[in-house]
Amino acid sequence: MAASTSTLRYPGYMHNDLVGLVASLVPTPRLHFLQTAFTPITAPGASTAARAHRQASLIDVMKSLLDSSNALCSPTGAGKYISALNIIEGPVDPAQLHKSLARLREKRSLSFIEWGPATLQVALSRGSPIARSRAAPVSGLMLANNTNVRSVFEVACQQFDKLFRDGLSGPKPGAYLQNYIDADCLGDNLEGLTSARETVRDLISEYEAAARPDYPEYISQP
C-alpha cells in the first residue's frame, strides 16, 4: 500500500529508508511476516457517520489500528506483538502524539513478548500534496509482527493436508495432484510438496516459541 512507503516518499527524521523501516520490525530472519491494518477506509460518497469517522482524532486513529476489523489479514487466536509501527499521515501535533501513546499504555491495549522491548513505534509522515483534498485529515497504517500470524499458516497446512490426502486416496486418486506429478520440477515424486509443508510447519513452531519467554534459548539450539 502507498501508506507503507509514505515515510520514504516524504522523508522525515526516522524510517526514511526501506532497510530502517523493516529492521525495526524483524528481530530474527524467520520472523518476517508482517500484518497490516489501515484506517479510515471510506468512500468519497459515504454516509454521514463514515464522514465523521474521517475527521477522527489521533487517539481514535491509533485505537482503530488495534481493532481487528481494520486488519488486512485474518489471523485467529490470541497472540503477542513482537514489534509494531504506526505510520501516521497528516498534520499531527507531537504533544498530542505523546498523550495518545500514554493513554494506550495506561489501558494496556497491546500485549508484547517478554524477551524483547515492548514499544509501539510511531512514524509521522506528511500527506500527499496531490491527494490531500480527497484523503482523511489524519490516517494511519500499522505494520505489526504478531505471533498470531501462525494461525494463517496453520490453515494453509490443514488445507494442504486435506488436498494431499484426498489426492492420494480419495474417490479420484490423483485428481488434485496430477498436474504436480506431471511437472518436471518435481520429478517422479512429491517430495518437493511435502518438504514445503515441513518448512511451513517449522515456521509455525518458530512463532509459537516466539510467544514464550524462553525464545532466545530456543533459537540458540543447534
Side-chain angles (χ1 to χ4, degrees):
M1 295 180 64
S4 64
T5 60
S6 61
T7 58
L8 312 182
R9 291 179 286 112
Y10 311 110
Y13 292 106
M14 296 179 63
H15 306 294
N16 52 13
D17 65 90
L18 190 59
V19 174
L21 188 69
V22 176
S24 62
L25 297 171
V26 180
T28 63
R30 288 179 63 84
L31 303 180
H32 65 269
F33 293 90
L34 305 181
Q35 304 176 40
T36 57
F38 184 81
T39 187
I41 303 177
T42 55
S47 63
T48 303
R51 288 196 299 270
H53 183 68
R54 290 170 67 95
Q55 308 298 324
S57 64
L58 175 61
I59 182 61
D60 293 330
V61 169
M62 296 186 69
K63 287 169 61 178
S64 295
L65 290 175
L66 302 177
D67 189 343
S68 59
S69 63
N70 292 316
L72 303 182
C73 64
S74 302
T76 58
K80 294 184 178 182
Y81 283 94
I82 299 172
S83 56
L85 168 65
N86 282 356
I87 299 177
I88 306 298
E89 187 175 341
V92 172
D93 182 2
Q96 185 184 10
L97 172 61
H98 293 306
K99 291 180 181 178
S100 300
L101 289 172
R103 290 179 62 180
L104 290 177
R105 282 194 294 267
E106 290 173 0
K107 295 184 178 181
R108 298 184 178 180
S109 302
L110 288 83
S111 176
F112 277 92
I113 52 170
E114 291 86 353
W115 50 268
T119 56
L120 171 61
Q121 304 175 67
V122 179
L124 301 180
S125 173
R126 292 175 293 173
S128 169
I130 298 175
R132 184 175 300 168
S133 60
R134 300 190 299 272
V138 178
S139 61
L141 170 76
M142 171 181 273
L143 297 174
N145 199 343
N146 195 305
T147 59
N148 66 0
V149 75
R150 68 182 184 276
S151 62
V152 176
F153 300 118
E154 288 172 346
V155 171
C157 279
Q158 292 170 5
Q159 293 174 340
F160 170 85
D161 291 342
K162 181 171 175 32
L163 289 173
F164 194 79
R165 181 178 62 252
D166 291 349
L168 293 178
S169 59
K172 295 182 179 180
Y176 302 115
L177 302 176
Q178 191 60 48
N179 289 335
Y180 297 99
I181 295 174
D182 295 340
D184 294 336
C185 60
L186 295 178
D188 297 330
N189 54 53
L190 299 175
E191 289 183 1
L193 294 178
T194 55
S195 176
R197 196 264 187 203
E198 290 304 315
T199 299
V200 176
R201 188 69 250 177
D202 291 343
L203 182 62
I204 294 172
S205 299
E206 183 98 8
Y207 271 102
E208 289 174 344
R212 303 193 299 266
D214 62 347
Y215 178 69
E217 288 76 15
Y218 174 85
I219 59 176
S220 64
Q221 297 175 359

